[in-house]
Amino acid sequence: MVDVILTVTMNPAYDMTYRVERFERGEAHRVRSVEQRIGGKGINVTRVLNQIGKYARATGFSDHAFAAAAELELPVDFVHALPWVRRTVVISESEDGTATALLEPGARISNPHAAEQLSTRVSGLLPDINGLVISGSLPGGIDPALPAEIAATAIEAGVPTICDVDGEALRLAALVPGVVLMPNREGIRRLTGRESETAEELVAALQPLVDQGARAVIATGCPDGMVAVTSTGAWGAMLSEVIIGNPTGAEDSAAAAVIAALSERTEPDWAAILCDAVATAAAARVIPVAGEIDRCLRTRIAPSITVAKLALQPSTPVPES
């Protein structure tokens, strides 16, 4: 039986990448090349999973044109509820790898049954999957509680589940017992009400989320590594070299690495999982477009990543929003 991982992208996008030599604000630029592809955080996770040897399917909301384009590349099963699909534009500078992103908000869903249709679709697939990732922003018209509701159903069915969402959706997802959260630095600040700069400060900020029921919280978007906090311990993983490039999609690549490990349904080795997540995210940074990794780089840098056990902190309650 083939192991299947499902990703949920509620606000997909057409990813546009413009490559220029150097981007100067207020100036006209000659674009060296343009690339358009289907995207969105869950789509990126799906692509990376397939690259690292895990069979993955994608669902979520889309329009008919986006779904048709996605079917040419990936196994997909979308709910056709969006009137149109937004675009994201990344300006990638060849001079030093700097990337500037413009993210459209997306269309509003007016179909009152769209959320129920997506929940039903995911529920129907649960007996056949062994991992679920819900990631990205929500389109207008969708209740922020939807990711948490889908996650709760999946976890109750015994499916390891990651939520990489933001805003109110992240706060509600954090209340789901057994969920794995992967917020970036801004998400952590909004969720905990704390500015966390050091690994020790991150542990102190994230531990209350584990104490209230989360299976694990992995802080992404850190300059040189990640921090994971679970009920059994906390770890920090650091790169041994600076990887310069496009950060778009790096967090999605990390989520792919984590759910790939959790889908094995063995007792998780969180230190090893964190190490692989850092290596996979770094391998995404050197690729100009999101949803791809340099597999050779991932293999090369993994042995040099430093993973340290961190002390759990005395817990303080998560502030009410």
Side-chain angles (χ1 to χ4, degrees):
M1 180 177 177
V2 177
D3 292 338
V4 180
I5 296 172
L6 183 67
T7 68
V8 179
T9 306
M10 298 189 195
N11 199 16
Y14 292 102
D15 287 342
M16 306 289 297
T17 301
Y18 293 89
R19 296 188 180 91
V20 300
E21 179 66 25
R22 182 178 180 182
F23 180 71
E24 296 283 353
R25 183 171 176 266
E27 299 292 330
H29 298 80
R30 193 168 297 280
V31 178
R32 289 188 164 188
S33 65
V34 180
E35 181 169 345
Q36 176 177 296
R37 50 165 41 188
I38 59 166
K41 289 180 70 64
I43 298 291
N44 295 338
V45 174
T46 305
R47 280 201 181 99
V48 174
L49 282 167
N50 289 331
Q51 288 179 68
I52 63 178
K54 291 289 185 179
Y55 181 77
R57 298 182 66 185
T59 188
F61 299 122
S62 76
D63 64 4
H64 289 277
F66 186 91
E71 287 173 358
L72 297 176
E73 180 185 352
L74 300 167
V76 298
D77 188 10
F78 283 107
V79 173
H80 298 168
L82 287 169
W84 49 270
V85 171
R86 67 194 177 115
R87 293 170 299 175
T88 65
V89 177
V90 173
I91 304 169
S92 177
E93 301 180 50
S94 57
E95 183 176 89
D96 60 4
T98 299
T100 303
L102 303 173
L103 311 177
E104 293 182 2
R108 182 178 184 84
I109 289 179
S110 57
N111 178 357
H113 306 294
E116 181 184 357
Q117 290 170 351
L118 181 59
S119 295
T120 300
R121 189 154 302 184
V122 174
S123 296
L125 293 169
L126 290 179
D128 302 316
I129 66 173
N130 59 343
L132 176 67
V133 179
I134 306 167
S135 55
S137 60
L138 305 185
I142 293 300
D143 192 322
L146 182 60
E149 293 168 359
I150 293 175
T153 301
I155 292 167
E156 186 177 350
V159 176
T161 300
I162 292 173
C163 277
D164 179 14
V165 291
D166 56 19
E168 179 66 3
L170 175 60
R171 187 188 72 81
L172 295 171
L175 301 176
V176 177
V179 72
V180 175
L181 303 173
M182 295 190 66
N184 58 23
R185 296 292 287 271
E186 179 60 21
I188 293 168
R189 185 188 66 79
R190 292 181 179 178
L191 187 58
T192 67
R194 301 171 65 166
E195 295 287 351
S196 305
E197 298 296 332
T198 67
E200 290 73 20
E201 288 172 342
L202 282 169
V203 172
L206 300 179
Q207 188 178 338
L209 300 172
V210 174
D211 292 342
Q212 73 181 17
R215 182 181 185 184
V217 187
I218 300 175
T220 65
C222 305
D224 48 8
M226 298 180 192
V227 169
V229 181
T230 76
S231 61
T232 58
W235 296 266
M238 306 281 288
L239 286 167
S240 60
E241 58 185 278
V242 177
I243 304 294
I244 297 175
N246 179 13
T248 307
E251 295 171 8
D252 306 326
S253 299
V258 174
I259 198 62
L262 296 180
S263 71
E264 300 292 339
R265 298 186 184 273
T266 58
E267 188 63 29
D269 180 343
W270 288 105
I273 291 173
L274 190 64
C275 177
D276 188 36
V278 171
T280 308
R285 293 182 70 94
V286 299
I287 304 295
V289 295
E292 292 187 18
I293 62 170
D294 184 328
R295 286 177 287 183
C296 292
L297 177 64
R298 175 179 179 242
T299 301
R300 179 179 68 79
I301 65 175
S304 65
I305 292 173
T306 302
V307 181
K309 186 82 179 282
L310 303 173
L312 292 173
Q313 305 294 320
S315 187
T316 56
V318 178
E320 294 290 336
S321 297

